[in-house]
Amino acid sequence: MASVKSIVPEFEAANQKYAASFTKGSLPLPPGRKVIVLVCMDARLDPAKLLGLEEGDAHVIRNAGGRAADALRSVVISQQLLGTREIVVIHHTDCGMLTFTDSELKSKVRKDLNEDADHIAFLSFKDLKQSVLDDISLLKKNPLVLDIPITGYVYDVKTGKINKVEA
Amino acid sequence: MASVKSIVPEFEAANQKYAASFTKGSLPLPPGRKVIVLVCMDARLDPAKLLGLEEGDAHVIRNAGGRAADALRSVVISQQLLGTREIVVIHHTDCGMLTFTDSELKSKVRKDLNEDADHIAFLSFKDLKQSVLDDISLLKKNPLVLDIPITGYVYDVKTGKINKVEA
């Protein structure tokens, strides 16, 4: 393990540059644009760049697939304590979540790690548009989530465009 | 609800500009720098900017507090299927998670929404440095997480600097 080069020195050097010209030190805690953006963790997506977000604008929740079921804790905190009143859900083309089934990943974990991952719902999906609609529906039906506007998009990793998903 | 102005038209306009000069359409799915960055959803943090990340570099997992317990599904997918071999955990000063207790939020939900949130662990914390150490420890001890380097930082929202947390 020790022979692998860590990314940490590069991150620290990049952060020194960022901090040297930092001018956002007095932003308030609650998001200025009162919105949650729920996006896949995929490396190719930069939510701030692709939506024009500045520091202070929005809560950004990211997980594998941008799945709502795995974001509820954060959504409740955001809405109840920090005043967000809109949600934008963004999944994307060529998503890793389209490439496996939960049972395949559980088998891999059992084989490679000799561990049981049966207690985790990995939330893989087969239909990208449906996954967005399902996540909007899950949020809209959850009694802990406020009745606020929720919009869904598929981001195209080849073009950089978001395309709205409608039922 | 209808009278509130949605952010969506602004996001779509910003995305049109982003897509118009988009040049990253052929990046591979696995993160190029083989790292997961686990960061709080806080609006003031832009992980890409503050760490010098480009599109394609890293999986970025974000939730309220940047808590590891709420990131395990995504970490397993990232490591088992997409080859990441390092984790960087970033919590931050003036975090919303320092401002409440789980029981206070559960009481608020019961009072304001007339709903029961007792099934959710909100993962609030009282000690920022300890929350980073706890999350590193949780990841290191979890048998589903690979034995790889994990580094923790506290980001200072007043200065833009990350400060390493050591036990």
Side-chain angles (χ1 to χ4, degrees):
Chain A
M1 154 176 151
S3 67
V4 177
K5 187 166 155 282
S6 167
I7 193 84
V8 153
E10 291 170 52
F11 280 177
E12 292 181 358
N15 179 254
Q16 280 197 340
K17 277 193 203 171
Y18 179 73
S21 59
F22 187 72
T23 59
K24 315 270 176 125
S26 56
L27 290 168
L29 203 170
R33 295 167 90 174
K34 297 184 187 300
V35 62
I36 293 169
V37 185
L38 171 59
V39 189
C40 182
M41 69 179 177
D42 190 281
R44 295 164 295 180
L45 276 63
D46 184 330
K49 279 197 205 168
L50 74 91
L51 296 174
L53 293 171
E54 295 291 328
E55 288 97 329
D57 279 349
H59 278 152
V60 182
I61 304 173
R62 301 187 67 177
N63 62 45
R67 301 313 309 264
D70 203 19
L72 286 171
R73 179 184 69 91
S74 300
V75 168
V76 172
I77 291 169
S78 176
Q79 294 187 335
Q80 292 301 315
L81 299 177
L82 293 161
T84 59
R85 290 297 180 267
E86 181 163 8
I87 302 176
V88 172
V89 178
I90 304 180
H91 297 180
H92 64 94
T93 61
D94 195 37
C95 185
M97 304 299 286
L98 291 158
T99 67
F100 69 97
T101 64
D102 276 33
S103 67
E104 285 165 359
L105 180 50
K106 286 167 184 177
S107 296
K108 183 182 193 310
V109 168
R110 200 172 280 277
K111 181 168 164 283
D112 293 356
L113 302 183
N114 196 28
E115 294 289 345
D116 165 24
D118 289 357
H119 57 291
I120 302 184
F122 284 109
L123 307 174
S124 63
F125 49 79
K126 288 292 166 212
D127 183 323
L128 184 53
K129 183 182 162 187
Q130 190 61 45
S131 75
V132 176
L133 294 174
D134 287 349
D135 280 6
I136 293 173
S137 177
L138 185 148
L139 291 166
K140 284 196 176 288
K141 286 176 184 164
N142 192 299
L144 298 175
V145 178
L146 297 175
D147 178 21
I148 46 97
I150 305 177
T151 309
Y153 294 92
V154 169
Y155 174 81
D156 187 325
V157 296
K158 292 215 176 302
T159 64
K161 281 187 192 158
I162 51 170
N163 296 293
K164 194 178 290 188
V165 177
E166 316 213 52
Chain B
M1 156 178 147
S3 67
V4 178
K5 188 165 155 280
S6 168
I7 194 84
V8 154
E10 290 169 52
F11 279 176
E12 292 181 358
N15 179 254
Q16 280 198 339
K17 277 194 203 169
Y18 178 74
S21 59
F22 187 72
T23 59
K24 314 271 177 124
S26 56
L27 290 169
L29 203 170
R33 293 167 92 174
K34 298 185 186 300
V35 61
I36 293 169
V37 185
L38 171 58
V39 190
C40 183
M41 69 178 177
D42 190 282
R44 294 164 294 180
L45 275 63
D46 184 330
K49 279 196 204 168
L50 74 91
L51 295 173
L53 294 171
E54 294 291 326
E55 288 97 329
D57 279 350
H59 278 152
V60 182
I61 302 173
R62 301 187 67 176
N63 62 44
R67 300 314 310 263
D70 203 21
L72 286 170
R73 179 185 69 90
S74 300
V75 168
V76 172
I77 291 170
S78 176
Q79 294 186 335
Q80 292 301 315
L81 301 176
L82 294 162
T84 58
R85 291 296 180 267
E86 181 163 8
I87 302 176
V88 172
V89 177
I90 304 180
H91 296 180
H92 64 94
T93 61
D94 196 36
C95 185
M97 304 299 286
L98 292 158
T99 67
F100 69 97
T101 64
D102 277 32
S103 68
E104 285 165 358
L105 180 49
K106 287 168 185 177
S107 296
K108 183 180 193 310
V109 167
R110 201 172 279 278
K111 181 167 164 283
D112 293 356
L113 303 182
N114 197 29
E115 294 289 344
D116 165 24
D118 288 357
H119 57 293
I120 302 183
F122 285 108
L123 306 174
S124 62
F125 49 78
K126 288 291 165 213
D127 182 322
L128 184 54
K129 183 181 162 188
Q130 190 61 45
S131 74
V132 175
L133 295 174
D134 287 349
D135 281 6
I136 293 173
S137 176
L138 185 149
L139 292 166
K140 285 199 175 287
K141 287 177 184 165
N142 192 300
L144 299 176
V145 177
L146 298 176
D147 178 21
I148 46 99
I150 305 178
T151 310
Y153 294 92
V154 168
Y155 174 80
D156 186 327
V157 297
K158 293 216 178 301
T159 65
K161 282 188 192 157
I162 51 171
N163 296 294
K164 193 178 291 188
V165 176
E166 317 213 50

